[in-house]
Amino acid sequence: MTGRDALEPEAAELVRPYVITKGRGLPDEAQLSLITLVTATADHQQRPTRLSPEEQKLLELCSAGYLSVAEVAGHTHLPLGVVKILLSALTEGGYLITRPPVQRAPLADRQILEEVLNGLRAKFG
């Protein structure tokens, strides 16, 4: 076995990210952030065969319930950018539902908190 033959199995497993994503670019960060939740639509059982194996794997993974984009990337061992592009394409195709992260709550007014604290101290010592 030559050195070149030893590299063949590894080379066969390597697929360039632009081949998997079909040259598509990254979606907007507001559309899919690391903590955006994704799940398959109710009719995910009727998948067309034109989806790539990676897209079918993502649909199968997301059919169990809501997962974050980061969790999906971790389970598939694909680069995060590739996962975001594929999830965006599946969402646009109507195969996935996304749920954006909850907005941060506004900070409480310091004056109101001090008044509550003073009232509690006055009542309970």
Side-chain angles (χ1 to χ4, degrees), residues 17-105:
Y18 61 83
V19 173
I20 297 172
T21 62
K22 299 175 186 165
R24 295 176 285 216
L26 281 169
D28 185 22
E29 184 66 26
Q31 181 185 2
L32 279 177
S33 70
L34 286 175
I35 57 175
T36 299
L37 299 176
V38 294
T39 190
T41 58
D43 59 345
H44 68 275
Q45 299 296 336
Q46 301 172 357
R47 296 183 196 143
T49 56
R50 62 186 161 97
L51 293 177
S52 69
E54 292 83 11
E55 290 171 325
Q56 289 179 359
K57 182 177 180 181
L58 289 177
L59 274 179
E60 182 179 321
L61 183 63
C62 293
S63 65
Y66 279 100
L67 290 173
S68 71
V69 172
E71 289 173 315
V72 172
H75 286 297
T76 59
H77 302 289
L78 290 172
L80 181 61
V82 171
V83 170
K84 282 181 153 186
I85 292 168
L86 294 176
L87 290 176
S88 177
L90 289 170
T91 302
E92 290 171 4
Y95 301 110
L96 293 178
I97 299 170
T98 61
R99 190 173 127 205
V102 177
Q103 296 293 325
R104 284 186 164 216

